[in-house]
Amino acid sequence: MRDMFTRFRDRILADETKSLAACIALAAAVLALACIWKYGIFAYSGIDLAYFNQVFWNTVHGRPFVQSIHPHLSLGDHAELAILLLAPLYALFPDPRTLLVMQVVALALTAIPLSLFVRARLETLGAGSEGRYFKTFTPLLFALLWLASPLVHNIALFEFHVLAFAPLPLMTALLMYERGRKLPFLASLLASLLVREDVALVVAAFGLLAWMERKPLWWRIVPLALGAGWFLAAMRLIGHFAPAAGYKFAIYYAWLGGSPAEMAINAVSHPLRVLGRIFQYRNAEMIIGLLLPFAFMPLRTPRRLLLAIGPFAQLALGASGGGPLTIQAHYSSLFLPGLFASAVDALPAMPGLFVRIRGWFDQREARAAASLLLIIGGAYSALVIGPLPSILSMAADRTLADSCSCRDTGLDRQDP
């Protein structure tokens, strides 16, 4: 059995590219079929899929951003300019299911820059010297963790949102940041900013991270200026199309004040009030839900969690805080780059921790234990916070309902 496992492992690792491509195709196919099945049984009960389908339909028919659910263009809600880039794909088959499949494909393809980032980061950390198995297995491991992540699955199966397209350019930006490639990094940031206005919070955090990691001045200033500048411009754009000439979601922060300046002043002058908002039960639920798929390993090396500080503040300081909806819906999209980057940093650091535990592990066994801990965390969270249990429950209920319907109508009886 051990020899069989070894041959199977070596065969997978022999051609990492083909293995990764097969996993991406399989994951995308399964998620797409789940979305189409869910659509077929009328299980999309929220407004979001219908809302965006109308926006896309009108956009491809010469009425950009028009919808009838609200009395204004969709730009009055969010600066989702990426709709213009995605609309030609929707035009090939103008149907709500097209949006769902596009969302799934974008999420699945994010595994590619993630695996390349893992390889580049391990080389930066010096972990690339630990042998071919570690260098090859770890990028593939994280790609699989992405494809099997309950957070990713929740995003894919919870309605449709343009925000789900943010992880792909953001993860590509993280890869280019690690490689020191300025122009591709800048292009990735610009692409991510087209998704939605709050992506600017992550873009600006790249500058803060570069400052903390003492990168050259360009890496510090450009993301900060780009993120802050686009956020202000997006607020002006949204305000132009919004009926109240402002950002309607600012109401969630009314407890801080009636204007951005007033909010900033009150946040500084009443820090205990701000801390009280942050340290509430719903935010604790959000933090646990975000960290559970990684077995809380990002806390071991939290520096790159800085990329998630903006989205965290955005939700934690809102009127109702974070809560389970952050995990169950699309809101975790902006947390994922920082979470995965921190988990990648933590994995090489974990073996030293295992080795020190009463000497139970040698270095090789400790690496395996750290990888196994990630896998267990992902598998457990898939059952606890992922969509799998609810999907299986819906399928069982549907099967039972069809069976009862057949019995009630006598369709299960044969004629004599």
Side-chain angles (χ1 to χ4, degrees):
M1 180 65 72
R2 184 173 181 179
D3 291 340
M4 183 184 300
F5 172 77
T6 302
R7 287 196 300 270
F8 177 71
R9 181 199 69 189
D10 291 341
R11 185 171 182 179
I12 291 177
L13 298 181
D15 197 331
E16 184 184 5
T17 302
K18 288 184 179 179
S19 299
L20 178 59
C23 292
I24 291 174
L26 178 61
V30 170
L31 288 175
L33 289 173
C35 289
I36 293 171
W37 173 79
K38 184 178 176 181
Y39 179 84
I41 64 170
F42 305 99
Y44 284 100
S45 55
I47 196 176
D48 302 304
L49 180 58
Y51 172 90
F52 279 107
N53 184 63
Q54 191 178 49
V55 171
F56 274 86
W57 175 273
N58 283 319
T59 297
V60 300
H61 286 84
R63 299 180 296 277
F65 305 106
V66 170
Q67 45 81 36
S68 62
I69 297 174
H70 301 307
H72 53 268
L73 298 183
S74 67
L75 290 176
D77 291 334
H78 293 293
E80 295 166 323
L81 300 179
I83 288 173
L84 297 175
L85 301 179
L86 298 171
L89 296 175
Y90 174 84
L92 297 175
F93 187 67
D95 186 274
R97 286 164 290 190
T98 302
L99 297 179
L100 297 173
V101 172
M102 287 165 53
Q103 179 172 258
V104 164
V105 171
L107 288 168
L109 288 177
T110 307
I112 297 175
L114 173 59
S115 64
L116 294 174
F117 164 74
V118 174
R119 184 180 297 279
R121 186 59 180 164
L122 290 178
E123 293 174 357
T124 302
L125 296 173
S129 61
E130 298 191 39
R132 171 183 169 275
Y133 177 76
F134 189 74
K135 290 188 292 183
T136 306
F137 173 75
T138 308
L140 187 59
L141 169 64
F142 273 95
L144 294 176
L145 287 173
W146 174 274
L147 295 171
S149 171
L151 299 176
V152 174
H153 295 173
N154 284 339
I155 297 168
L157 289 165
F158 180 83
E159 299 288 330
F160 171 88
H161 287 88
V162 181
L163 192 62
F165 293 84
L168 180 57
L170 285 175
M171 195 62 71
T172 304
L174 191 57
L175 168 63
M176 297 307 163
Y177 174 89
E178 194 63 38
R179 289 180 172 176
R181 303 281 301 279
K182 291 183 180 179
L183 289 181
F185 173 72
L186 184 58
S188 301
L189 292 186
L190 289 171
S192 69
L193 289 172
L194 296 177
V195 173
R196 215 168 81 163
E197 68 281 353
D198 45 354
V199 179
L201 300 174
V202 183
V203 170
F206 271 103
L208 298 177
L209 180 64
W211 218 289
M212 184 178 295
E213 296 184 343
R214 299 181 179 180
K215 279 189 171 286
L217 196 60
W218 187 94
W219 296 93
R220 307 181 192 187
I221 299 299
V222 171
L224 272 171
L226 189 62
W230 172 246
F231 186 79
L232 294 175
M235 291 297 105
R236 293 289 299 273
L237 177 67
I238 294 169
H240 176 75
F241 290 101
Y247 190 53
K248 72 177 187 180
F249 300 105
I251 190 66
Y252 295 144
Y253 312 97
W255 62 274
L256 267 175
S259 68
E262 190 176 337
M263 291 178 187
I265 293 172
N266 287 335
V268 174
S269 58
H270 299 89
L272 293 181
R273 191 178 180 190
V274 173
L275 290 175
R277 285 278 178 171
I278 293 175
F279 292 102
Q280 57 175 305
Y281 177 72
R282 289 178 61 82
N283 289 335
E285 284 184 300
M286 175 176 65
I287 293 171
I288 292 172
L290 290 170
L291 291 173
L292 184 60
F294 304 91
F296 297 91
M297 282 175 55
L299 297 179
R300 179 76 171 84
T301 52
R303 176 184 292 180
R304 294 200 165 188
L305 286 177
L306 185 63
L307 294 174
I309 194 68
F312 174 77
Q314 178 189 17
L315 294 171
L317 296 177
S320 58
L325 187 60
T326 303
I327 313 303
Q328 298 163 359
H330 59 290
Y331 299 107
S332 63
S333 299
L334 298 184
F335 289 88
L336 291 176
L339 287 167
F340 271 90
S342 294
V344 172
D345 281 4
L347 189 60
M350 291 298 291
L353 183 63
F354 282 108
V355 168
R356 288 196 295 269
I357 301 177
R358 297 186 181 181
W360 287 353
F361 302 98
D362 61 26
Q363 192 67 24
R364 183 177 179 181
E365 292 170 337
R367 287 200 302 268
S371 300
L372 183 61
L373 182 62
L374 264 178
I375 295 171
I376 292 173
Y380 176 74
S381 60
L383 298 175
V384 176
I385 62 176
L388 179 61
S390 62
I391 289 291
L392 294 176
S393 177
M394 282 193 294
D397 292 343
R398 185 73 177 180
T399 302
L400 181 61
D402 290 344
S403 176
C404 292
S405 176
C406 288
R407 285 197 298 270
D408 291 342
T409 57
L411 295 178
D412 59 336
R413 297 194 299 268
Q414 295 183 353
D415 293 332

